[in-house]
Amino acid sequence: VVVEKEAEIYKLSSTDRFRNTVMRILVKKNASLKFFNLDFFGNFSFDNVFIVLEEGARLTLRDFKAFGHRKAGYILVKLNKASKADIKSFFYQNGSGVADLLYLMRFEGEDAEGKLKGNGVVDGAGKIVFRGILDVKRGSKNIVAEETEHTLILSPEARMDAIPSLWVDENDVTASHSASSSSLDEGELFYLMTRGIDEIEAKKLIVRGVFNELLDELDESMKGEVEGVVNKIV
């Protein structure tokens, strides 16, 4: 895909069959792309996405993976001079399913800005591996590279492996990363229950809050389908 000026892409996968997707996207100078990559259910699904941002290009990427037996996602974004990438990852895994997600932002020009944020939930004996890599090449001065990730863990058997990485070959940069996980906030749960909401519904509201940011950004044609998936969680 070549984006000359402005584009919005929705890629939705919801199948029980094996799926392997390869995408190559070039966002031209000063162009902008909004990309929703949505993957629901499916026993085995694999994503390989490579996006190049030319000078001054803008990318807004929302990646959502939920359910399924085995999922692997690899998204690489290369930023050139004065380009910007805003990537948010949303994920859910349960049962004995495993999702292995890798996001790599490679900075190859001055004054670029890349932000990666991960939010998700893991339940049952599910497992999430979240690999966020910020790779700053020599000569990429005055860039901003930020990564944050948080996972809500609902079960003692659930597992979250967060692997944030900073690879920095330049001094004049702003770069940071953080990763955290937590169980349900008992205080928040108690507060909702004192308002007449039963425990099961209160848990659903808290979990749904993890994905509200994604739902708010979807257009009406897609929001209902994604909302239906979110409502199956917990």
Side-chain angles (χ1 to χ4, degrees), residues 23-224:
M23 292 189 71
R24 300 292 181 259
I25 302 173
L26 173 63
V27 185
K28 303 287 283 185
K29 183 176 180 179
N30 296 324
S32 64
L33 169 64
K34 194 170 187 178
F35 180 25
F36 289 87
N37 190 42
L38 311 171
D39 179 8
F40 313 141
F41 311 108
N43 286 326
F44 296 90
S45 62
F46 304 90
D47 271 333
N48 185 299
V49 180
F50 179 30
I51 303 173
V52 175
L53 304 179
E54 290 190 348
E55 180 179 345
R58 303 288 186 269
L59 169 68
T60 301
L61 171 61
R62 303 295 180 256
D63 192 43
F64 180 34
K65 290 180 169 53
F67 299 101
H69 182 58
R70 292 290 185 272
K71 290 186 182 296
Y74 174 57
I75 295 179
L76 165 60
V77 177
K78 186 165 74 170
L79 296 93
N80 286 288
K81 182 177 180 181
S83 61
K84 290 187 177 181
D86 173 18
I87 302 175
K88 292 180 181 176
S89 169
F90 302 88
F91 47 86
Y92 173 77
Q93 192 56 274
N94 67 343
S96 59
V98 178
D100 193 327
L101 313 176
L102 188 152
Y103 302 90
L104 169 58
M105 284 197 283
R106 179 165 291 146
F107 297 80
E108 296 189 350
E110 296 181 352
D111 302 313
E113 181 179 302
K115 296 183 178 181
L116 169 62
K117 181 180 179 182
N119 277 301
V121 180
V122 60
D123 198 2
K127 178 180 178 180
I128 297 288
V129 182
F130 188 95
R131 312 170 194 266
I133 302 172
L134 306 177
D135 182 14
V136 183
K137 297 300 185 183
R138 187 172 298 278
S140 301
K141 296 181 180 296
N142 301 317
I143 66 98
V144 176
E146 298 178 1
E147 175 192 351
T148 59
E149 184 277 326
H150 180 74
T151 302
L152 181 62
I153 299 176
L154 301 182
S155 163
E157 291 77 34
R159 182 175 174 181
M160 173 63 191
D161 292 341
I163 311 172
S165 301
L166 283 177
W167 304 343
V168 181
D169 288 333
E170 181 57 64
N171 293 320
D172 191 11
V173 303
T174 300
S176 63
H177 65 67
S178 65
S180 61
S181 61
S182 66
S183 57
L184 277 173
D185 187 323
E186 294 298 328
E188 189 175 5
L189 193 62
F190 176 76
Y191 175 82
L192 291 171
M193 292 174 67
T194 61
R195 297 302 186 268
I197 301 172
D198 65 51
E199 184 175 359
I200 294 176
E201 189 60 30
K203 286 182 178 179
K204 286 184 177 181
L205 286 174
I206 293 172
V207 170
R208 181 188 170 91
V210 176
F211 304 100
N212 273 345
E213 190 173 5
L214 172 65
L215 293 171
D216 289 343
E217 291 191 56
L218 293 165
D219 66 20
E220 291 303 317
S221 65
M222 296 298 302
K223 186 173 182 177

